[in-house]
Amino acid sequence: MSRIDGGNRPSSPKGPVPERTSTPERPDTGAAAKATKSAQVHRAVQPFHGRSDFEPDRRPAQRAVTAPPPPPLDAAAIAGADAELELLSEFPDADAQGGLASAMLHAHANEPASQARIVERLKQDGRLESLFGEVFREGNPYVEQPHRKAVVRALDTAMARGTVTAGDLRAFARGAYAREWQQIGSELSTPRAALEKP
């Protein structure tokens, strides 16, 4: 049997021939939707923070920082101060309690958070006036000079923080330890007028 086409064309293979397409195969629509969604999530999680070379800088001008925010109170130091304050109840003598309170303030001289906590707790308990009065009482055998300085420094810090007010000092200077609190007031860095009547 002779070929009509002259033999230039190869014979076609037997069976169905798959049809070729010019576009690549597409993944199913479910997988495409998932890929698009994950790309959107990824963009939302990591937004672009840069800027184009063609657009102006939109960052706000930095302002001068006046003072850094105060550091958070040291929880361990405050817990230690609270534990030490519990020791005061073991000493019934007022002289000993005053000496112990001033020694605590001296021991926490470099920990303003602890000192502030001690003063705050003594004020809440109503013992601030009497204990600090005992510290400055003439002839108290339990108090050394550095302890008195620690009390004054702690009161300065407490006044700066607002724990102790000028009104408190005026009331203490008229109380049972008036002479001692007048001496404390003369050693505070705040004006002595804070202890006098307005």
Side-chain angles (χ1 to χ4, degrees):
M1 194 171 159
S2 67
R3 293 188 182 184
I4 299 174
D5 60 0
N8 290 334
R9 194 188 280 171
S11 63
S12 61
K14 295 182 179 178
V17 176
E19 199 174 302
R20 287 173 71 180
T21 59
S22 61
T23 58
E25 292 183 18
R26 293 185 179 184
D28 69 347
T29 56
K34 287 180 186 176
T36 306
K37 188 173 183 180
S38 67
Q40 288 173 348
V41 169
H42 182 68
R43 262 184 261 133
V45 171
Q46 296 180 351
F48 176 69
H49 291 291
R51 66 179 179 87
S52 167
D53 292 335
F54 301 105
E55 70 178 297
D57 190 3
R58 294 183 181 166
R59 289 177 291 182
Q62 291 188 0
R63 298 176 184 162
V65 178
T66 55
L73 296 178
D74 185 3
I78 289 176
D82 285 343
E84 289 175 16
L85 284 167
E86 298 304 319
L87 295 174
L88 290 177
S89 60
E90 296 181 15
F91 295 89
D93 184 36
D95 285 351
Q97 283 189 358
L100 185 60
S102 62
M104 279 190 269
L105 290 171
H106 180 62
H108 293 278
N110 296 325
E111 298 171 353
S114 311
Q115 280 197 333
R117 180 63 172 180
I118 291 168
V119 173
E120 179 185 342
R121 282 278 309 276
L122 290 176
K123 184 181 176 189
Q124 287 174 354
D125 297 347
R127 297 185 286 178
L128 183 66
E129 178 183 2
S130 60
L131 286 185
F132 285 8
E134 287 295 332
V135 169
F136 278 81
R137 189 177 57 78
E138 193 63 41
N140 188 334
Y142 296 98
V143 178
E144 300 174 11
Q145 188 58 35
H147 295 180
R148 290 184 177 197
K149 290 181 181 175
V151 164
V152 171
R153 197 167 46 246
L155 280 172
D156 275 331
T157 304
M159 289 188 73
R161 291 180 180 222
T163 306
V164 176
T165 64
D168 294 327
L169 295 181
R170 283 194 293 272
F172 297 159
R174 293 191 299 266
Y177 293 92
R179 187 166 35 116
E180 289 80 8
W181 274 95
Q182 287 168 3
Q183 183 182 351
I184 292 171
S186 68
E187 295 186 24
L188 288 171
S189 63
T190 57
R192 183 175 168 76
L195 292 176
E196 297 169 358
K197 287 185 179 181

